Amino acid sequence: MPSAPRRIARRVESWFRENRRALPWREAYNPYHVWLSEVMLQQTRMEVVLGYYSRFLNRFPTVRDLAAASEHDVLAAWSGLGYYRRARMLRDGAIAVVERFGGEVPESVEELLTIPGIGRYTAGAIASIAHQRKAPIVDGNVARILARVFLIREPPLAAAWRHAEELVAACTDPRELNQGLMELGALVCKPTNPRCDVCPLQKDCVAFAANAVDEVPVREAKKKTRALRIPLYLIRDAKGRILMRRESGKLMNAMFHLPHGNSELLETPPLEADTRQLLGTFRHTVTTRRIEFSLYDAVIARVPRDYTWIDPASMHDVPHPSYVRKALKLAAR
Ligand code: SF4
């Protein structure tokens, strides 16, 4: 009879071989591709990531291409994905890989952890998935499965890492085990209504046996969201170009924004339009801030010095946050 970690690891590996989704970064397990996919998937849904992933790789096919690119171009390719710090750190990481590792993404967790933007989870993912090293990983999906299988009632992270280490030490194929755990969390052991009837770990799952699946993982209190109202100005010239400004605020620096009212989020002085007409309102959420934008069609007599006219057709070359797209869509209605 195999030990519990060995038995669980084997069940996950074999389930993954039969049920894995065909994803582009699983074609060759190129370490740069695995790294990019893991960074994009943090805080972003798979369906959204898939389109961005291939466009990003077309633009920056290798680590060296990414390291040689300007921050402006990298942010432009990331525009709409949100959490732009990820893109900056990825580029910083690529520069470090070229400068210190000759352009080859290193294999060991210890070396990976020396690269900017790579933390314990991403290092484990690259080491195990791309290089087949026995490195544990715990993301939200894995933490949830482990909390249920081992019935961990305290906030699960520390204990989950211990169990993940035991499983990977006992596994046959760390690439299959770790992806299998993530995939099980995404497809079967979901946050609500887990599909225990088709789960390969049902016989091992302590929460299932104790009828306590809904009690774990214990949820941490959600951060409160703050509501903001911000007026936005759509100012067009005779050629249909749009007035924008590159911001330097701490949340969205180096991105091009539409002129807007004074707000602590975007950290800019108010821009008073000479005439304006309300085009509509829309909602947008940034981390813990819920924003209601009012979009005005506006005319101004004099263009302020640090603003630029941007052709909407070339917006894909200009780093901009996703609310800008929502505004342009609203204006086009
Ligand atoms: Fe999750 Fe249910 Fe499987 Fe347990 S049996 S791991 S709760 S899906």
Side-chain angles (χ1 to χ4, degrees):
M1 180 86 172
S3 67
R6 196 172 177 80
R7 192 178 63 239
I8 291 171
R10 286 207 178 150
R11 283 183 174 151
V12 173
E13 288 166 331
S14 124
W15 178 88
F16 180 70
R17 282 195 293 278
E18 284 165 26
N19 294 279
R20 71 176 147 203
R21 291 171 289 182
L23 297 172
W25 47 91
R26 288 181 180 159
E27 283 164 15
Y29 289 113
N30 174 309
Y32 168 52
H33 298 180
V34 172
W35 179 13
L36 174 64
S37 69
E38 290 299 336
V39 174
M40 283 191 167
L41 283 166
Q42 288 160 18
Q43 282 125 348
T44 308
R45 282 178 297 117
M46 174 79 76
E47 311 82 77
V48 179
V49 164
L50 286 171
Y52 279 91
Y53 172 85
S54 42
R55 276 197 299 277
F56 195 91
L57 271 186
N58 281 339
R59 203 146 171 195
F60 312 110
T62 66
V63 177
R64 286 185 184 280
D65 295 316
L66 181 58
S70 67
E71 185 178 282
H72 174 101
D73 286 349
V74 175
L75 288 173
W78 204 270
S79 290
L81 259 183
Y83 299 96
Y84 296 93
R85 188 168 180 273
R86 293 181 297 176
R88 292 193 188 93
M89 295 305 284
L90 185 65
R91 176 174 166 272
D92 289 350
I95 292 169
V97 167
V98 169
E99 286 177 353
R100 291 197 271 118
F101 298 98
E104 299 291 328
V105 180
E107 294 192 12
S108 74
V109 168
E110 294 71 27
E111 284 177 315
L112 285 161
L113 284 172
T114 68
I115 296 170
I118 295 190
R120 192 178 179 190
Y121 166 79
T122 311
I126 297 169
S128 62
I129 297 171
H131 299 300
Q132 290 185 292
R133 293 277 188 118
K134 287 202 169 192
I137 55 164
V138 176
D139 67 351
N141 280 337
V142 177
R144 182 171 62 255
I145 297 178
L146 297 179
R148 287 172 173 166
V149 170
F150 298 101
L151 193 53
I152 306 167
R153 288 192 186 272
E154 72 269 24
L157 269 188
W161 276 102
R162 270 201 315 279
H163 287 293
E165 273 166 25
E166 280 172 20
L167 291 182
V168 83
C171 80
T172 311
D173 186 330
R175 172 184 288 167
E176 287 183 346
L177 172 75
N178 283 349
Q179 290 189 99
L181 285 170
M182 291 193 282
E183 198 94 321
L184 256 183
L187 302 179
V188 177
C189 193
K190 298 177 179 193
T192 52
N193 301 323
R195 301 171 58 209
C196 303
D197 51 327
V198 295
C199 178
L201 300 183
Q202 195 201 84
K203 288 198 178 92
D204 306 289
C205 183
V206 182
F208 181 81
N211 204 15
V213 169
D214 293 337
E215 295 165 27
V216 280
V218 178
R219 304 207 195 296
E220 290 178 46
K222 268 196 171 176
K223 281 188 191 162
K224 278 195 180 155
T225 55
R226 286 199 293 145
L228 293 170
R229 285 167 192 264
I230 299 176
L232 275 182
Y233 301 101
L234 192 67
I235 300 164
R236 291 176 268 207
D237 70 359
K239 296 178 186 163
R241 295 178 306 176
I242 293 163
L243 195 64
M244 299 185 83
R245 185 170 80 160
R246 193 166 195 179
E247 299 285 348
S248 55
K250 68 176 179 229
L251 270 181
M252 292 191 176
N253 63 63
M255 306 287 280
F256 282 81
H257 290 259
L258 293 172
H260 46 76
N262 192 16
S263 86
E264 60 178 284
L265 176 67
L266 299 174
E267 294 179 3
T268 186
L271 180 117
E272 286 300 331
D274 294 347
T275 59
R276 59 184 192 171
Q277 182 199 344
L278 183 64
L279 292 171
T281 60
F282 62 94
R283 294 213 169 111
H284 187 70
T285 303
V286 180
T287 54
T288 57
R289 292 173 167 87
R290 206 175 57 248
I291 306 168
E292 183 170 301
F293 285 113
S294 302
L295 181 66
Y296 292 94
D297 197 10
V299 177
I300 53 172
R302 191 178 52 80
V303 174
R305 204 159 36 94
D306 47 350
Y307 282 79
T308 316
W309 292 109
I310 306 269
D311 182 352
S314 59
M315 197 62 88
H316 52 273
D317 289 326
V318 176
H320 59 277
S322 55
Y323 82 80
V324 172
R325 280 189 215 176
K326 288 189 186 172
L328 295 183
K329 212 166 154 187
L330 176 64
R333 271 193 212 149

